[in-house]
Amino acid sequence: MKVLVAVKRVIDYNVKIRVKADNTGVETANVKMSMNPFDEIAVEEAIRMKEKGAATEIIAFSAGPAQCQETIRTALAMGADRGILVQTDVELQPLAVAKLLKAVVDKEQPGLVIVGKQAIDDDSNATGQMLAALLGWSVGTFANKLNVADGSVEVKREVDGGLENIKIKMPAVITTDLRLNEPRYASLPNIMKAKKKPIETLAPDALGVDVAPRLKTLKVEEPPKRKSGIKVKTVAELVEKLRNEAGVI
Amino acid sequence: MAVLVVAAHDGKTVRANVANAVAAATQMDAEVHVLVAGSNAGEAAKSAAAIEGVAKVLQAEDAAYANWLAEDIAPLVVKLAPGYSHVVMAADSVGKNIAPRVAALLDVAQVSEAIKVVSPDTFVRPIYAGNAMATVQSTDKIKVVTVRPTNFKAGAGGGSAAIEQIAGTGSAGLSSFVGAELSKSERPELTSAKIVVSGGRGLQSGENFKMLETLADKLGAGLGASRAAVDAGYVPNDYQVGQTGKVVAPDLYIAIGISGAIQHLAGMKDSKTIVAINKDEEAPIFQVADYGLVGDLFQIIPELTAAIDKK
């Protein structure tokens, strides 16, 4: 079984982002970029499936500017076998990415597609669900644990009230939550080996996908700042302030 | 055209956040309908009919809808959607699961987790864990929007909308529900609690979280946690407050032993009053706190619990 994983290049989760002065977006020049953390979990899960013999080949997919090659290389260094980059400088929104992924799925026929539940830049939490819809496949969102057996996947999902178990038919799309696994670091020899692994580069047109954004971003602003607070010295002072100043207890 | 709010429910009542979603929906169009799909959803449909601002409730009965599987619910919403300008769901684990599937089947974008309705086609939504606010305009004919419940004040109850029975669409046969392992708690639900007490890695163990439970019970508070505390296994996943967990905005948020990573701040910085208790005076949590107390939480928690008793 082939497994397709999608990896997004995002601003590193440790970077404090800055809104551009002209309010058109967030500053990305000279900012450290990394693989979306939820996608690392997706790559790790695919590698574990391969190590257990449940998967035969792992394809790492990314879409965006040429630099997304680096993100794919990271996945290859972790243990993916080959990469596919759909290269475009157009701003890609979840529906467009889902359509690109569908076109690649139609070609590659994987048994599972594993993606992060959410990218930490646009926080949309939509691409995996959209891909499953376009394919007419089932989806296991917010996966906490997976068990692949007999043409179906048992998915333990993180939901509002706790955990939920569902069984979905394969082929299927999985979106990863934080506690599915702890992604490995790529070793130096594997980073070297990854340089020789193939990456195929495609254009959206070649896949017949219109990637034009459906949501127009009118402006991006700083969130309102909280007024700076005070330090209290004792518990008694804290309780007094909460009772008489804030009036919340 | 009217707005369709898709309501999650437990068979007896719709979730509390449906009223918030309806409040958001009324800002998109004056006429709001609520879809209650389920198996024996009569009581839940009645609870939806009582929400202020609801003009009509559509009740769809089908055994396939019992457990809210996206594969089965989405086709029903898609079938109804052409009669509406917007499809709205609360941005909880049900809405996040189903709404994008609906959007893709309609070939429209989803506006995720809107916090403000600027106009019927323009919304404000947080990006980068709430460190930036994007104003986006949808160019699609039908707008699929998930809304952050804490940003829309629920109206009063007491409404009496008509309930119309509609046909179900059956099972897609792709997925099945096996079971749930839900946390049992007598405490107020995290996202609707007036006071939330949250603990982080500073608590050092699940055992020590009991101290927070005592404090939370004294305050009538909901209990939350940082990702670090959940990852360390101190408490279950549904306690997590943050960018990828739950977003809360209570009147009072007490963060104990939480350093305040931006991912955590994303889930609580809209709280009215924030208290931070941490032994590290440089901890970023103090930057958003109205009242900060530097010290050893193992001394402070019992002292605070006792002080709240003394009125």
Side-chain angles (χ1 to χ4, degrees):
Chain A
M1 175 182 75
K2 282 188 203 174
V3 177
L4 181 70
V5 291
V7 294
K8 185 175 186 182
R9 180 174 180 266
V10 298
I11 294 180
D12 186 86
Y13 77 101
N14 274 315
V15 172
K16 185 158 173 35
I17 60 114
R18 277 185 304 122
V19 171
K20 285 184 187 168
D22 64 1
N23 293 118
T24 56
V26 164
E27 193 57 69
T28 53
N30 301 316
V31 172
K32 186 185 177 197
M33 306 294 281
S34 299
M35 187 191 296
N36 178 42
F38 288 96
D39 300 344
E40 289 183 348
I41 296 171
V43 176
E44 176 67 34
E45 196 63 19
I47 296 169
R48 291 186 188 187
M49 283 180 186
K50 195 178 167 193
E51 286 169 347
K52 279 193 294 198
T56 51
E57 188 186 30
I58 303 166
I59 308 163
F61 165 101
S62 193
Q67 295 92 319
C68 295
Q69 287 238 7
E70 297 162 20
T71 316
I72 293 177
R73 287 281 171 220
T74 305
L76 298 178
M78 287 173 74
D81 296 294
R82 62 186 168 95
I84 296 175
L85 169 63
V86 179
Q87 194 175 324
T88 172
D89 290 324
V90 175
E91 178 207 337
L92 293 176
Q93 295 179 345
L95 183 62
V97 177
K99 288 180 179 179
L100 293 172
L101 273 164
K102 178 186 184 290
V104 170
V105 168
D106 287 343
K107 215 170 88 172
E108 298 284 350
Q109 301 286 317
L112 273 182
V113 181
I114 312 179
V115 303
K117 77 165 180 180
Q118 170 172 353
I120 60 164
D121 51 3
D122 63 33
D123 284 334
S124 290
N125 194 333
T127 304
Q129 296 90 317
M130 287 180 157
L131 172 63
L134 298 176
L135 290 164
W137 290 6
S138 52
V139 64
T141 50
F142 325 142
N144 174 287
K145 200 173 175 201
L146 297 180
N147 186 24
V148 179
D150 302 330
S152 64
V153 195
E154 291 165 16
V155 188
K156 191 184 284 289
R157 307 176 56 229
E158 297 203 1
V159 296
D160 293 327
L163 295 162
E164 177 183 289
N165 298 300
I166 60 169
K167 193 168 177 183
I168 59 176
K169 272 195 185 145
M170 285 169 65
V173 177
I174 302 294
T175 82
T176 63
D177 216 317
L178 288 170
R179 283 157 286 268
L180 181 58
N181 60 51
E182 222 171 287
R184 69 194 65 193
Y185 290 103
S187 67
L188 191 59
N190 285 343
I191 292 171
M192 301 308 291
K193 262 189 244 164
K195 290 184 178 167
K196 297 207 182 77
K197 292 181 179 174
I199 299 179
E200 182 185 359
T201 303
L202 301 165
D205 287 351
L207 295 169
V209 176
D210 173 10
V211 293
R214 301 289 190 83
L215 297 178
K216 237 192 290 178
T217 301
L218 304 181
K219 62 182 171 186
V220 174
E221 297 167 295
E222 295 262 0
K225 287 242 177 333
R226 283 189 79 92
K227 269 194 297 184
S228 58
I230 57 160
K231 289 253 170 75
V232 294
K233 292 225 159 28
T234 64
V235 167
E237 190 187 350
L238 175 63
V239 172
E240 191 274 321
K241 295 270 189 209
L242 291 179
R243 272 204 186 118
N244 303 324
E245 197 174 88
V248 285
I249 60 169
Chain B
M1 278 211 286
V3 181
L4 182 66
V5 174
V6 182
H9 60 88
D10 64 3
K12 294 187 194 74
T13 57
V14 292
R15 288 188 176 184
N17 63 24
V18 174
N20 304 91
V22 167
T26 55
Q27 297 177 29
M28 301 172 204
D29 190 275
E31 190 174 346
V32 177
H33 298 177
V34 177
L35 171 65
V36 179
S39 171
N40 286 323
E43 289 303 310
K46 276 184 206 157
S47 74
I51 296 171
E52 184 183 315
V54 175
K56 185 162 79 174
V57 173
L58 305 174
Q59 184 191 341
E61 283 291 326
D62 200 313
Y65 302 150
N67 294 297
W68 283 86
L69 295 161
E71 294 82 355
D72 299 334
I73 299 275
L76 171 67
V77 182
V78 168
K79 192 177 140 199
L80 297 169
Y84 293 92
S85 58
H86 298 72
V87 174
V88 174
M89 291 190 82
D92 59 16
S93 62
V94 172
K96 287 173 179 176
N97 189 35
I98 293 170
R101 192 171 182 97
V102 170
L105 291 172
L106 293 169
D107 191 27
V108 304
Q110 171 178 271
V111 177
S112 298
E113 212 147 356
I115 59 165
K116 190 177 167 191
V117 180
V118 178
S119 72
D121 68 357
T122 305
F123 308 87
V124 178
R125 56 176 305 264
I127 55 175
Y128 292 92
N131 288 296
M133 296 292 157
T135 303
V136 297
Q137 185 177 32
S138 167
T139 58
D140 291 313
K141 194 162 163 276
I142 302 172
K143 287 139 186 80
V144 174
V145 187
T146 62
V147 298
R148 182 176 284 185
T150 50
N151 287 82
F152 298 93
K153 195 175 183 318
S160 56
I163 299 174
E164 186 185 314
Q165 303 291 330
I166 59 167
T169 45
S171 170
L174 287 170
S175 51
S176 57
F177 178 80
V178 179
E181 305 158 34
L182 302 181
S183 301
K184 285 204 181 78
S185 172
E186 298 298 312
R187 285 184 204 94
E189 205 274 314
L190 205 46
T191 53
S192 56
K194 291 236 181 305
I195 300 178
V196 171
V197 174
S198 265
R201 203 186 327 248
L203 268 295
Q204 293 174 12
S205 74
E207 190 59 31
N208 289 338
F209 247 85
K210 296 220 166 73
M211 296 168 66
L212 288 197
E213 290 176 8
T214 315
L215 175 61
D217 291 344
K218 281 264 152 64
L219 290 165
L223 197 54
S226 69
R227 178 191 168 184
V230 177
D231 282 359
Y234 302 169
V235 287
N237 63 283
D238 52 295
Y239 282 47
Q240 187 178 326
V241 171
Q243 178 184 17
T244 67
K246 286 182 179 150
V247 176
V248 302
D251 291 342
L252 174 61
Y253 187 88
I254 306 181
I256 302 178
I258 292 176
S259 63
I262 52 173
Q263 290 80 9
H264 183 76
L265 301 185
M268 46 65 82
K269 67 183 175 189
D270 288 336
S271 305
K272 211 167 108 198
T273 299
I274 297 174
V275 170
I277 297 169
N278 203 296
K279 66 175 184 216
D280 173 13
E281 63 178 317
E282 301 295 323
I285 190 78
F286 287 119
Q287 291 165 17
V288 299
D290 299 283
Y291 303 109
L293 180 54
V294 179
D296 178 4
L297 63 92
F298 294 105
Q299 281 173 17
I300 292 172
I301 300 172
E303 209 183 316
L304 182 57
T305 309
I308 285 160
D309 269 342
K310 284 184 281 180
K311 284 253 168 176

